[in-house]
Amino acid sequence: MEKWKFQGNQGLKSSAVSVRGVFNVLMQSISKEKEVVHLCRVDPTDNPLFSADPVAAHAVSTAAHSGNFNGYPPTFGLPQARRAIAEYLSRDLPNKLSAEDVYVTVGATQAIEIILPSVFATPGANILLPRPGFPQYETRAALCGLEVRHFDLLPNSSWEVDIDSLEALADDKTMAMVLISPSNPCGNVFTYQHLKRVAETARKLGIFVISDEVYAHIAFGSNPFVPMGVFSSIVPVITLGSISKRWILPGWRFGWIATCDPHGIFQKTGIAANIESYMEITNDPPTFMQAAIPEILERTNDEFYSKNLDITREAANALYERFKEIPSLICPHKPDGAMAVMVQINLSQIEGIADDVDFCVKLAKEESLLILPGVIVGLKNWLRVSFGLERSAIEEGLNRLKAFCLRHAKMSQQISA
Amino acid sequence: MEKWKFQGNQGLKSSAVSVRGVFNVLMQSISKEKEVVRLCRVDPTDNPLFSADPVAAHAVSTAAHSGNFNCYPPTFGLPQARRAIAEYLSRDLPNKLSAEDIYVTDGATQAIDIILPVFATPGANILLPRPGYPQYETRAALCGLEVRHFDLLPNSSWEVDIDSLEALADDKTVAMVLISPSNPCGNVFTYQHLKRVAETARKLGIFVISDEVYAHIAFGSNPFVPMGVFSSIAPVITLGSISKRWILPGWRFGWIATCDPHGIFQKTGIAANIESYMEITSDPPTFMQAAIPEILERINDEFYSKNLDITREAANALYERFKEIPSLICPHKPDGAMAVMVQINLSQIEGIADDVDFCVKLAKEESLLILPGVIVGLKNWLRVSFGLERSAIEEGLSRLKAFCLRHAKMSQQISA
């Protein structure tokens, strides 16, 4: 037998595998006895009540048919796309953005891929990430040799940032912090005051803020959505966004990096030049899709946005109300944003279940219900429950969840239930 | 003034900057006195005679309007796209590919971005062709993969210098890259030569990455032979895209295909690694993936051969005009891809230091853009694109000839 000298890069597998591994175990456990209910994904197209605005398909179709956009796109994006995104974001910002502040990416997924290595991988650097958070940050940081430190989000304070833990973690090698705002997986919308405080803390620590605003404007409670860029004169901000959630177009894979930096600090520190260098060598969204962006951003009207917000609010409220009926699950914060919520498992009220992964595996097996174990997002023995579904699916899912919890309740609880 | 603790990653800039830096200097030198002629790019849409087949826009438009493809795509690609690509590639392969052998990517650009880190084990090295395509060097540097260059031989139709290949390889060599048909050389490798390359790879215990972005762009006497034909000799990873043959570079759609009948990629963990890495990378839009079957299946041979005729005519015109310029040597008449390598005979020129200087002055004096060979690995050569309509080529070569005459050494000028 020949000797082959190549093998897979083991370092590559370790970071991604933990998330994927848990997910695969779940997938393999699903019983097909009932129709599967997915309360684990945050793909808005899962909800049949959501549909994209027809403007989008029309715009992209026109661009494709024109034949004018089959050439390679310019490195940072088509000028009209950059301009349209700058104008769209500037509606909510005191310091207006220009087209040069915007870089188009293949979804926010690629925005993260570009920002972390291009900015950070100086030897020994570290980045502060929220816990619970979005595991792609951890994975991508590991791949580019960036040390990760986690600050806590406080379940009993509407999932606000634990500012003390943030300050205690930072040192001379800390370069930036990430905030997902509105929050996935917690489902909260940060207040103006709190975001201002985070900005001031970042400035004090000499770090900048990466504000992951993929769920921008998905705020259906009493707190309005406030973009971090509002505080960019306090601290420079890199905002990540995409058309996945608000426009119900996750499959289009279109997003952006926006530098909110009125004092030009990213220029002076070489960060902007690095983003641009890295973008020279990375791939891009299709040119004809970029050409459709102005129309999508400008012509989709408020009615589309508010209708979808109503649907999301109704689903989130229904979910929260149903959780109240399940004593072994604690939902510390009523969701008012994004598309998922964190719920704690009170293991002392349950028997025969070791942890959150075990809970979710058995749930998949016994009830054909899929929920994400919290360990995947950084909080063991919690659950991330999505509400991006129509109300009937949520009711069905919560019925099954309640039955499961009852079935596994400690005997004392079962008698009193 | 506040103290900010962050700064750009200097390591990142060094590898990309040399290519981009040279290119920027060129761009800044262009005189607008005449209309700029670009013989520097390999974007087929630069040629007004080329247009995409209407099937493409129709297919993608239908998919977008259906509303069925707005969801996140599956990790390795929509099954129907994977299947269509497998069937399309299998037309020319003895060992048929299945959908599971195909991973869809955001252009071949992303295919390279995915493949290289996948086997970048500590201390590993990869063999790259010189001249070549600088994205390989850049991406290798970014993932800590050592690069070693083997030569392509200008006087042997740009074939691989097999001896130099063998001499370079050691225990830590994991793979070699071949761009076939060749960018920037413009040649199409023969069946016999590719077989010999495959046998050498097997002997060295390495696999072949065959960059076939220019697959079927072969308009001379050598037919295009996919490296996958030899996959029972050495396992092959084939990279491809719809950029060149379908005139759709702006769509950013490509693929990685594993041609591996003996399952060696499975056994060595490479396949699992590709799949792990693809879990966390971005994807082409779902609705575009949905359009791929129609694009691959319904576009007919007439579209392909018409475009090939246009390319052949442009390449021949270019080659003939080069014969008129004594200070430029074109060792191989282009018969594939979209660019050709031409050597500057510096002994016949004065006042020009090297290829970069040549190109800067050319941009300044003639508003003509040609790529200096140093960018692709051969100093004092030029990469000249023929992806333009014939009139632009004639105009470009007229200016080039005038430039070379103007800068010819006095002795040459007298005899010209």
Side-chain angles (χ1 to χ4, degrees):
Chain A
M1 178 174 143
E2 303 90 10
K3 171 172 170 297
W4 296 101
K5 302 206 308 255
F6 47 86
Q7 61 175 351
N9 176 0
Q10 297 310 310
L12 196 62
K13 287 168 70 179
S14 56
S15 41
V17 125
S18 48
V19 175
R20 179 55 44 176
V22 173
F23 199 71
N24 284 343
V25 167
L26 269 189
M27 289 296 132
Q28 286 153 25
S29 311
I30 302 173
S31 148
K32 296 285 165 64
E33 270 187 38
K34 311 185 204 194
E35 190 173 327
V36 180
V37 176
H38 294 266
L39 289 179
C40 54
R41 307 210 310 168
V42 283
D43 179 340
T45 64
D46 283 346
N47 187 338
L49 295 176
F50 282 150
S51 58
D53 191 307
V55 156
H58 176 263
V60 91
S61 173
T62 305
H65 276 296
S66 76
N68 293 331
F69 303 107
N70 291 332
Y72 286 110
T75 308
F76 311 138
L78 266 193
Q80 59 265 50
R82 301 174 78 190
R83 194 165 39 243
I85 296 164
E87 282 170 16
Y88 172 78
L89 295 175
S90 294
R91 294 181 202 170
D92 305 305
L93 296 174
N95 297 305
K96 301 303 168 198
L97 302 181
S98 70
E100 288 65 43
D101 294 316
V102 177
Y103 306 93
V104 310
T105 61
V106 182
T109 298
Q110 196 200 28
I112 297 172
E113 258 181 59
I114 288 172
I115 279 297
L116 261 53
S118 73
V119 165
F120 289 110
T122 45
N126 67 68
I127 185 176
L128 309 182
L129 299 181
R131 175 174 51 206
F134 184 62
Q136 200 202 338
Y137 284 99
E138 281 79 359
T139 304
R140 188 50 68 178
L143 279 174
C144 65
L146 189 57
E147 176 196 337
V148 163
R149 300 178 178 191
H150 288 100
F151 60 89
D152 296 303
L153 302 175
L154 301 168
N156 298 326
S157 302
S158 309
W159 293 109
E160 286 189 338
V161 173
D162 181 346
I163 300 278
D164 294 335
S165 90
L166 189 70
E167 291 199 27
L169 285 172
D171 66 10
D172 276 349
K173 298 283 207 168
T174 305
M175 312 223 100
M177 61 172 290
V178 171
L179 197 65
I180 302 169
S181 171
S183 167
N184 175 33
C186 306
N188 65 291
V189 179
F190 298 105
T191 62
Y192 179 99
Q193 296 83 350
H194 184 65
L195 290 173
K196 187 173 184 197
R197 194 163 164 231
V198 168
E200 288 163 347
T201 308
R203 175 188 172 121
K204 176 171 145 191
L205 298 172
I207 66 180
F208 70 94
V209 181
I210 295 171
S211 192
D212 180 331
E213 295 179 5
V214 159
Y215 290 95
H217 300 280
I218 317 293
F220 45 83
S222 48
N223 292 342
F225 164 67
V226 179
M228 198 63 180
V230 164
F231 310 103
S232 59
S233 48
I234 300 176
V235 67
V237 176
I238 286 180
T239 301
L240 310 185
S242 82
I243 61 173
S244 300
K245 315 291 181 182
R246 197 180 199 204
W247 290 270
I248 324 291
L249 297 170
W252 286 40
R253 317 309 298 116
F254 184 89
W256 53 81
I257 292 166
T259 50
C260 308
D261 180 30
H263 301 308
I265 294 162
F266 288 137
Q267 298 288 345
K268 294 181 197 127
T269 52
I271 298 282
N274 250 57
I275 293 173
E276 296 186 356
S277 272
Y278 205 69
M279 289 206 68
E280 299 284 2
I281 57 172
T282 50
N283 47 295
D284 330 85
T287 319
F288 70 81
M289 182 187 287
Q290 299 191 33
I293 289 301
E295 199 173 333
I296 294 172
L297 295 184
E298 290 154 22
R299 284 192 44 209
T300 302
N301 58 31
D302 285 344
E303 198 191 308
F304 172 79
Y305 299 140
S306 54
K307 177 173 84 74
N308 289 336
L309 217 54
D310 288 342
I311 293 170
T312 309
R313 181 187 302 109
E314 188 181 319
N317 287 350
L319 188 78
Y320 184 68
E321 289 306 309
R322 296 302 308 275
F323 272 126
K324 288 179 178 172
E325 303 168 17
I326 308 176
S328 46
L329 297 181
I330 307 151
C331 184
H333 174 79
K334 180 176 176 183
D336 59 333
M339 222 168 270
V341 69
M342 290 300 285
V343 161
Q344 189 173 24
I345 307 169
N346 187 344
L347 283 172
S348 65
Q349 293 195 17
I350 291 183
E351 56 188 9
I353 286 179
D355 59 18
D356 52 331
V357 177
D358 195 26
F359 183 103
C360 294
V361 168
K362 290 185 160 75
L363 187 64
K365 210 171 289 190
E366 294 175 28
E367 296 287 347
S368 307
L369 173 61
L370 282 171
I371 285 178
L372 207 69
V375 68
I376 287 186
V377 296
L379 280 189
K380 197 162 170 53
N381 295 337
W382 285 70
L383 304 169
R384 183 188 84 168
V385 187
S386 155
F387 45 85
L389 285 176
E390 73 276 30
R391 180 151 178 189
S392 55
I394 290 191
E395 300 286 357
E396 174 60 24
L398 268 285
N399 286 342
R400 299 186 195 180
L401 184 58
K402 183 175 177 181
F404 177 86
C405 289
L406 214 60
R407 197 160 56 245
H408 288 274
K410 274 218 166 75
M411 285 316 292
S412 50
Q413 264 73 43
Q414 281 190 1
I415 291 159
S416 55
Chain B
M1 178 172 142
E2 303 89 13
K3 170 173 171 293
W4 296 103
K5 304 207 308 257
F6 47 87
Q7 60 176 351
N9 176 2
Q10 299 309 312
L12 195 64
K13 287 168 68 177
S14 56
S15 43
V17 124
S18 49
V19 175
R20 179 55 43 179
V22 173
F23 198 70
N24 285 343
V25 168
L26 267 189
M27 287 298 131
Q28 287 154 22
S29 310
I30 302 173
S31 148
K32 295 284 166 61
E33 269 189 37
K34 311 185 204 195
E35 190 172 327
V36 179
V37 176
R38 285 172 222 273
L39 292 178
C40 54
R41 308 210 309 168
V42 284
D43 180 339
T45 63
D46 283 347
N47 187 338
L49 296 176
F50 283 151
S51 56
D53 191 303
V55 159
H58 176 263
V60 91
S61 174
T62 305
H65 277 295
S66 76
N68 292 331
F69 302 107
N70 291 332
C71 51
Y72 285 112
T75 307
F76 312 138
L78 266 192
Q80 58 265 51
R82 300 174 80 190
R83 194 164 40 242
I85 296 165
E87 282 169 14
Y88 171 79
L89 295 176
S90 295
R91 294 181 203 170
D92 305 305
L93 296 174
N95 296 305
K96 302 303 167 197
L97 302 180
S98 70
E100 289 65 44
D101 294 315
I102 307 293
Y103 306 94
V104 308
T105 62
D106 239 331
T109 299
Q110 197 200 27
I112 296 171
D113 283 356
I114 289 172
I115 275 299
L116 262 52
V118 159
F119 54 85
T121 47
N125 68 69
I126 184 174
L127 309 181
L128 299 180
R130 176 174 50 206
Y133 183 64
Q135 197 203 336
Y136 284 99
E137 281 78 0
T138 304
R139 183 53 62 181
L142 279 173
C143 64
L145 198 54
E146 177 197 336
V147 163
R148 299 179 180 189
H149 289 101
F150 60 89
D151 296 302
L152 301 176
L153 301 167
N155 299 325
S156 302
S157 309
W158 293 109
E159 287 189 337
V160 173
D161 181 345
I162 300 280
D163 294 333
S164 89
L165 189 70
E166 292 199 27
L168 285 172
D170 66 10
D171 276 349
K172 296 285 209 167
T173 306
V174 287
M176 63 172 288
V177 171
L178 198 65
I179 302 169
S180 170
S182 168
N183 175 34
C185 306
N187 65 291
V188 178
F189 299 105
T190 63
Y191 180 100
Q192 296 82 352
H193 185 65
L194 290 172
K195 186 172 183 199
R196 192 161 165 233
V197 168
E199 288 163 345
T200 308
R202 175 190 173 120
K203 176 171 147 192
L204 298 173
I206 66 180
F207 69 95
V208 181
I209 296 171
S210 191
D211 181 329
E212 294 178 6
V213 158
Y214 290 95
H216 300 281
I217 317 291
F219 44 82
S221 47
N222 292 342
F224 165 65
V225 179
M227 198 64 181
V229 164
F230 311 102
S231 58
S232 48
I233 299 176
V236 174
I237 285 181
T238 302
L239 310 185
S241 82
I242 60 173
S243 300
K244 315 292 181 182
R245 197 182 198 203
W246 290 269
I247 325 290
L248 297 170
W251 286 40
R252 318 307 301 117
F253 184 89
W255 54 80
I256 294 167
T258 50
C259 307
D260 180 28
H262 301 309
I264 293 162
F265 288 137
Q266 299 287 344
K267 295 180 197 130
T268 52
I270 296 280
N273 254 53
I274 293 173
E275 297 185 356
S276 270
Y277 199 57
M278 289 203 68
E279 299 284 3
I280 58 172
T281 51
S282 47
D283 332 83
T286 317
F287 70 80
M288 182 187 287
Q289 299 191 34
I292 290 300
E294 200 174 333
I295 293 172
L296 294 185
E297 289 155 19
R298 282 192 46 207
I299 292 180
N300 57 31
D301 285 344
E302 197 191 309
F303 172 79
Y304 298 139
S305 53
K306 177 173 84 73
N307 290 337
L308 217 54
D309 289 343
I310 293 170
T311 310
R312 180 188 301 109
E313 187 181 320
N316 288 348
L318 189 79
Y319 185 68
E320 289 306 308
R321 297 299 307 273
F322 272 127
K323 290 178 177 174
E324 302 169 18
I325 309 176
S327 46
L328 297 182
I329 307 150
C330 184
H332 173 79
K333 180 177 176 183
D335 59 332
M338 222 168 270
V340 68
M341 291 299 286
V342 161
Q343 188 171 26
I344 307 169
N345 188 344
L346 282 171
S347 65
Q348 291 194 18
I349 290 181
E350 55 188 10
I352 286 179
D354 59 18
D355 52 329
V356 178
D357 195 25
F358 184 104
C359 293
V360 166
K361 289 184 159 76
L362 187 63
K364 209 172 289 191
E365 295 175 27
E366 296 287 347
S367 307
L368 173 60
L369 284 171
I370 285 178
L371 208 69
V374 67
I375 287 186
V376 296
L378 279 189
K379 197 163 170 53
N380 295 336
W381 286 69
L382 305 168
R383 183 188 85 170
V384 187
S385 156
F386 46 84
L388 285 176
E389 73 275 31
R390 181 152 178 187
S391 55
I393 290 191
E394 299 286 356
E395 173 63 22
L397 269 284
S398 296
R399 300 187 196 180
L400 185 59
K401 182 176 178 181
F403 177 86
C404 289
L405 215 59
R406 198 159 56 246
H407 289 275
K409 274 216 165 74
M410 286 315 293
S411 49
Q412 263 74 42
Q413 281 191 2
I414 290 160
S415 56

